[in-house]
Amino acid sequence: MCGRIAQYRYPIEYLEALGQMTIDGVDPTPIGRYNVPPQSRVQLLHRDQDGLRMNGVRWGYAPFWAQGKRPPAINARAETAATSKFFRDIWKTGRAIVPADGWYEWKKDEANPRIKQPYLIKLRSNAPMFFAALGQFQRGGIGEPRDGDGFVIITSSSGAGMLDIHDRRPLVLSPECALHWLDPELEPNEAEDIALEHGLGVEEFDWYPVDRAVGNVRNEGAHLIERISNPVL
């Protein structure tokens, strides 16, 4: 986890769920992505000196000293990100939020791991989700991406009830905690407390099997999030 997400609503819907007014430069059309893979550009919320921003940033990050030596990371563990050599430099300055509608996990057959069934996980309320993230990205408005720009999604333990799908999941924050996470004045230790103690509980989520077509990143469309009645697992 987490290797595939859905981000398909109008941008304004995510902003309204955060209790925010519209912001400059936001696309008025739906994002419309039902099968978002790593290394693609994903709409990311962050703050700079002029306020809240939402623009596309590549999903995948490595500090300058690691670039070219290993593939970019796509996730960071909530338990270690604040002190990890890989992420500690962006812990204070690079906090961001991925607004999303769900994420996918693949359940494996214990007897034959090659048999997998994808599941979509979303909020029971069907409200937008807010994944805690860390990254390096443009400040002061939308500009051309720079070498090294990118982000990771922070993950936490799945906890009882979701372990049969995967033992890790995105750190999903309430709208209030998401805004707090984005506050540039938030102290690093307070951000660590949010990451470790304030993610939404497993009881907030629902998950169901979806078509295995989502396993191919070239497939796209609303049919990918529809519940199927004949899962292999």
Side-chain angles (χ1 to χ4, degrees), residues 90-113:
I90 57 173
W91 182 259
K92 182 176 181 179
T93 62
R95 292 192 301 272
I97 290 291
V98 178
D101 299 290
W103 79 92
Y104 299 95
E105 295 292 358
W106 277 258
K107 184 176 181 180
K108 296 180 181 180
D109 186 329
E110 293 183 2
N112 185 357

Side-chain angles (χ1 to χ4, degrees), residues 170-200:
L171 174 62
V172 183
L173 301 176
S174 68
E176 296 77 16
C177 280
L179 287 175
H180 202 33
W181 177 261
L182 291 172
D183 185 350
E185 301 301 319
L186 185 69
E187 292 294 330
N189 62 315
E190 294 179 282
E192 189 171 7
D193 180 66
I194 289 175
L196 295 175
E197 303 294 339
H198 294 281
L200 295 184

